Amino acid sequence: LTSASNLEQLVKSGAYKNSKIKPVIRANDTTDIWRHRGATHHHRPSRPFRTANLKRVKENLTDLGLYSITFTNDLDADLEAMHAFAEFREDALAHGFTYFLEVFNPNVGGPSPEEMPHFVNDAIIRCLAGLTEIERPRFLKIAYNGPSALDELASFDPSLVVGVLGGGAGTTRDCFELIFQAEKYGARVALFGRKINLAEAPLEMIRHMRAIADGTLAPLDAVKSYHDTLARLKIVPARSLADDSQITEAPLKAG
């Protein structure tokens, strides 16, 4: 997953030649991820924006993208985001482009912390309610807001494939616990970035994640196995085994 401009350079370099990896672009760039030096855009309700040209991307690079939307309980901002999403879907259909949909928790404002998971779930259903099958995302990418919220969303429409995003790096236990709980409560896709690329041994992290998803390792046992592997590879862990075995992310403590 990368920008269209970076993907173009990767394709030109031959990085995907004979590769089984599916390249994906970020199809939009909403203002909640604008972090210009000295800027405060991300402190205001998210607004839609996109730079990627789907026609050119489809012709030369890939036919799959990530479209992101952030609902904040600000009617004007949320309505603008919905209109932009509708325009994107028409553009995607016109050029044979497919997408998966990322829905972030509110970047500012929003409802109370207790209501926020339910607000996000309802916003997702509202966002997709009138879409025919050809318009729907391949799958969702959402924050894990605890067992109840994920189970509610995953069981509401069995045809909707729910995926969870990784969020911050956290501890190794956080990563493994998130894989375990997400699958347990209905998620079918894991889309992790920092939990993998900031790990001491990213490929070993993925191997252990796969074992948890397959049911061959429990999260706590996987942490010990991962540390044993680091020792065998002579890699110094960022944390002690005891510290790395702790759950530190609030939504995971409810599972």
Side-chain angles (χ1 to χ4, degrees):
L1 172 63
T2 185
S3 65
S5 54
N6 282 342
L7 180 56
E8 181 180 41
Q9 298 307 311
L10 288 168
V11 170
K12 287 172 65 176
S13 73
Y16 290 98
K17 189 176 294 184
N18 301 320
S19 173
K20 294 181 180 180
I21 294 174
K22 174 72 174 180
V24 185
I25 63 147
R26 289 196 173 274
N28 69 330
D29 328 271
T30 50
T31 59
D32 50 315
I33 63 169
W34 291 10
R35 300 297 175 101
H36 312 162
R37 285 172 289 185
T40 59
H41 302 112
H42 57 287
H43 295 307
R44 300 175 63 186
S46 177
R47 299 284 180 165
F49 180 76
R50 59 187 175 112
T51 53
N53 183 299
L54 299 189
K55 181 177 184 294
R56 296 194 186 97
V57 171
K58 172 65 187 302
E59 288 175 347
N60 304 301
L61 302 174
T62 187
D63 63 354
L64 180 63
L66 167 63
Y67 189 88
S68 176
I69 190 167
T70 303
F71 297 102
T72 62
N73 209 24
D74 179 300
L75 180 59
D76 291 336
D78 290 354
L79 189 58
E80 184 181 356
M82 291 283 265
H83 284 309
F85 180 42
E87 291 176 3
F88 167 78
R89 295 196 310 270
E90 288 302 307
D91 196 14
L93 279 172
H95 297 101
F97 195 84
T98 57
Y99 72 100
F100 56 101
L101 181 65
E102 181 172 43
V103 181
F104 284 120
N105 291 343
N107 67 305
V108 296
S112 68
E114 295 76 21
E115 293 177 321
M116 188 273 294
H118 308 294
F119 167 81
V120 173
N121 280 1
D122 288 351
I124 291 170
I125 298 306
R126 167 56 52 204
C127 183
L128 303 178
L131 303 192
T132 58
E133 287 186 4
I134 197 172
E135 300 173 278
R136 286 161 67 93
R138 297 276 294 274
F139 52 87
L140 294 178
K141 178 184 179 185
I142 63 171
Y144 180 66
N145 289 322
S148 177
L150 180 56
D151 179 66
E152 177 186 70
L153 182 63
S155 60
F156 177 80
D157 179 359
S159 70
L160 183 64
V161 178
V162 179
V164 294
L165 58 87
T171 63
T172 299
R173 176 69 181 279
D174 287 334
C175 177
F176 294 163
E177 193 69 30
L178 181 53
I179 286 286
F180 176 77
Q181 291 189 28
E183 183 176 28
K184 178 179 179 180
Y185 295 109
R188 292 296 175 263
V189 184
L191 303 111
F192 288 12
R194 282 163 289 185
K195 278 182 166 54
I196 295 172
N197 64 31
L198 295 179
E200 301 91 341
L203 293 180
E204 288 302 323
M205 180 68 84
I206 294 171
R207 185 172 68 82
H208 283 79
M209 288 167 62
R210 179 74 264 175
I212 294 166
D214 288 343
T216 58
L217 274 178
L220 193 56
D221 293 333
V223 177
K224 184 178 185 306
S225 174
Y226 177 72
H227 273 254
D228 289 344
T229 301
L230 293 181
R232 177 170 52 81
L233 296 174
K234 294 181 171 52
I235 296 174
V236 178
R239 305 174 192 84
S240 68
L241 175 59
D243 289 343
D244 219 16
S245 298
Q246 301 303 309
I247 297 174
T248 67
E249 296 176 359
L252 296 170
K253 294 180 179 180

